[in-house]
Amino acid sequence: MSAITSPLKPEDKKVVVAVLQATLVDLIDLSLLGKQAHWNVIGQNFRSLHLQLDKIVAKVREHADTVAERAVALGGNPDGRASTIANASEVPQLEPGYINDGKVVAAMTDILGSIIRRMRERVAATEKPDPVTQDILIQITQDLEKHHWMIEAQR
């Protein structure tokens, strides 16, 4: 069995694959937290938040697949195992149990904001080594910022 070769220089590949792995961790954790909030939200805005969280999760899962496949295309090995996500995630976590709709809005605003900050750093980090990956990261960041705005507007 042979490894997948990369069109990037070795030093560029190292940077880009690390960025993609960190992005994958953020996106998988966000999808899990989105589902956790989806299942446990209560309050007057239950229905709209319940549905909105599903939209976020669906989009984030789509992006996670794109990120993982990009890593493989560059000769990397994405790691989406639960233990990897648990050990590497920098995403703020939700409290267990039922969560009032106002707390869900505040928590998801913070969660999305923290990921967006890291995404913007990753966009900058991939500008020179791989504009193709940068383009993917820009699209993800755009979608996350849209969802952040739509969640934050409910405060």
Side-chain angles (χ1 to χ4, degrees):
M1 184 168 106
S2 62
I4 305 299
T5 58
S6 176
L8 302 178
K9 294 184 273 185
E11 61 274 13
D12 290 344
K13 174 186 168 187
K14 183 177 179 180
V15 169
V16 174
V17 169
V19 162
L20 289 167
Q21 178 60 38
T23 301
L24 183 63
V25 168
D26 275 352
L27 295 175
I28 291 173
D29 202 10
L30 176 56
S31 74
L32 295 171
L33 289 167
K35 273 303 189 182
Q36 182 70 16
H38 168 87
W39 297 322
N40 289 288
V41 63
I42 57 173
Q44 288 186 329
N45 295 317
F46 160 79
R47 178 95 173 124
S48 62
L49 273 172
H50 183 78
L51 296 173
Q52 186 177 18
L53 289 164
D54 257 352
K55 288 180 182 180
I56 293 170
V57 169
K59 182 52 78 175
V60 167
R61 286 180 175 169
E62 180 183 323
H63 285 314
D65 194 50
T66 300
V67 165
E69 288 175 355
R70 180 68 183 156
V72 173
L74 296 176
N77 298 109
D79 188 350
R81 296 173 299 160
S83 60
T84 300
I85 306 309
N87 290 326
S89 181
E90 297 179 38
V91 178
Q93 298 296 299
L94 294 171
E95 59 189 60
Y98 294 120
I99 310 171
N100 181 276
D101 53 3
K103 284 187 176 182
V104 168
V105 168
M108 291 305 293
T109 298
D110 291 345
I111 288 167
L112 287 163
S114 77
I115 295 170
I116 289 164
R117 281 187 293 282
R118 287 189 295 283
M119 289 301 297
R120 286 184 161 271
E121 292 170 3
R122 295 169 187 151
V123 166
T126 55
E127 179 181 12
K128 297 243 188 279
D130 187 23
V132 176
T133 295
Q134 183 191 44
D135 188 51
I136 292 168
L137 299 177
I138 289 169
Q139 181 61 56
I140 294 168
T141 305
Q142 179 185 355
D143 286 344
L144 292 173
E145 288 177 350
K146 176 183 174 184
H147 288 297
H148 180 267
W149 153 58
M150 294 182 134
I151 288 283
E152 187 177 35
Q154 297 174 69
R155 278 189 165 176

